[in-house]
């Protein structure tokens, strides 16, 4: 058996043994930024700038969580890239799918969703129209109010540009972890202006956002991972021309 050295060397050896065998021992120093991309040592404003640059340079991302806007809560699970997006949105009206390929936007929902939309519009249900749309990809006309409303959920640049903003004075708030990845957290106005967890591994992508004033929480993953978008089959598509039956 190897003898443990005495004095200062003995304390050093004990510290090393503690790290190897049982994690960090009180009194053993460690650098939380060791082996990271280094952004954890930067000022909060610089971290925000770098994470925005990383997000802007990415070709794709998956975004999931909740967004509160104009008093309405939307739960999103979207995969986005510059040429389009696919995913689902859940609102008070129910769940619906979105697919955008270039300028073509499709909305897919069940009959209950369309009936709810009719009720919100004029207080009456149209079961026949809802039945025709049930489970179909409905091509949303570019001039329809729904196009502007829903296409924002499918536009990577617009969506990230509007979301990745902290309000007020910026500061760092320690090292954290998101889905197994080490992060540095930055805050606006000590958290009341939102918090953003930024990856300390690889590029400094944003990984989690808690928006100001309880306006939702989102996670970001699959940064720069390519995915394919396919046009729905003609048999699965309904084109209502100039305006949806319940816009």
């Amino acid at each position: 058996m190897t003898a443990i050295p005495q004095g200062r060397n003995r304390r050093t050896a004990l510290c090393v043994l503690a790290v190897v065998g049982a994690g960090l021992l009180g009194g053993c120093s460690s650098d939380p930024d060791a082996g990271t991309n280094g952004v954890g040592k930067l000022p909060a404003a610089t971290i925000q700038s770098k994470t925005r640059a990383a997000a802007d340079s990415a070709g794709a991302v998956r975004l999931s969580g909740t967004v509160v806007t104009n008093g309405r809560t939307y739960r999103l699970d979207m995969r986005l890239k510059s040429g389009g997006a696919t995913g689902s949105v859940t609102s008070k009206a129910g769940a619906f799918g979105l697919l955008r390929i270039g300028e073509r936007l499709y909305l897919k929902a069940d009959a209950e969703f369309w009936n709810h939309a009719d009720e919100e519009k004029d207080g009456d249900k149209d079961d026949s129209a809802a039945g025709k749309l049930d489970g179909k990809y409905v091509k949303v006309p570019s001039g329809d109010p729904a196009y502007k409303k829903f296409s924002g959920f499918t536009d990577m640049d617009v969506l990230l540009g509007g979301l990745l903003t902290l309000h007020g004075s910026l500061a760092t708030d320690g090292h954290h972890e998101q889905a197994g990845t080490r992060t540095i957290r930055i805050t606006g106005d000590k958290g009341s202006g939102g918090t953003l967890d930024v990856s300390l591994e690889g590029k400094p992508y944003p990984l989690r956002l808690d928006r100001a004033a309880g306006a939702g929480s989102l996670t970001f993953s699959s940064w720069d991972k390519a995915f394919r978008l396919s046009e729905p089959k003609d048999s699965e598509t309904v084109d209502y021309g100039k305006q949806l039956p319940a816009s």
Side-chain angles (χ1 to χ4, degrees):
M1 179 181 294
T2 303
I4 296 177
Q6 299 300 309
R8 183 177 179 180
N9 289 338
R10 180 176 183 275
R11 289 194 298 271
T12 301
L14 287 173
C15 187
V16 171
L17 288 173
V19 170
V20 173
L24 293 176
L25 182 69
C28 298
S29 62
S30 63
D31 180 2
D33 292 300
T36 72
N37 55 25
V39 299
K41 297 180 178 180
L42 302 175
T46 305
I47 297 172
Q48 184 183 52
S49 177
K50 286 186 173 292
T51 196
R52 284 299 302 267
D56 290 344
S57 69
V61 66
R62 181 174 182 177
L63 179 154
S64 58
T66 58
V67 172
V68 181
T69 179
N70 297 324
R72 295 193 176 192
T73 299
Y74 298 92
R75 179 170 292 279
L76 313 180
D77 187 2
M78 299 293 302
R79 295 200 69 181
L80 307 124
K81 62 180 181 178
S82 59
T86 183
S88 64
V89 179
T90 302
S91 70
K92 182 180 178 181
F96 56 94
L98 288 174
L99 171 65
R100 183 176 65 83
I101 303 176
E103 298 300 316
R104 297 178 300 283
L105 176 66
Y106 301 91
L107 191 154
K108 183 178 181 180
D110 59 19
E112 184 178 356
F113 172 88
W114 293 108
N115 276 329
H116 187 92
D118 278 337
E119 288 178 323
E120 283 196 338
K121 181 184 178 186
D122 53 25
D124 192 19
K125 291 197 292 187
D126 186 349
D127 291 328
S128 60
K132 293 177 182 178
L133 303 178
D134 183 21
K136 298 286 187 178
Y137 285 96
V138 178
K139 188 174 182 180
V140 182
S142 59
D144 193 278
Y147 188 94
K148 183 177 181 180
K149 179 178 181 180
F150 294 128
S151 63
F153 290 131
T154 69
D155 191 313
M156 182 174 172
D157 292 336
V158 170
L159 199 56
L160 294 181
L163 291 173
L164 294 179
T165 301
L166 299 177
H167 303 280
S169 178
L170 298 179
T172 56
D173 186 29
H175 292 71
H176 299 268
E177 186 178 290
Q178 175 63 35
T181 299
R182 289 180 291 174
T183 66
I184 182 71
R185 181 171 297 169
I186 57 176
T187 66
D189 276 349
K190 298 181 180 180
S192 62
T195 68
L196 183 66
D197 278 32
V198 178
S199 177
L200 288 175
E201 302 175 19
K203 290 187 177 181
Y205 289 125
L207 298 184
R208 179 181 174 87
L209 170 71
D210 289 312
R211 302 182 72 203
S217 297
L218 294 158
T219 59
F220 307 89
S221 60
S222 299
W223 282 105
D224 223 18
K225 292 185 178 180
F227 63 95
R228 294 185 62 183
L229 294 171
S230 300
E231 291 277 358
K233 297 178 181 178
D234 289 342
S235 60
E236 301 173 331
T237 307
V238 175
D239 189 340
Y240 259 83
K242 294 183 179 181
Q243 189 172 26
L244 296 183
S247 295

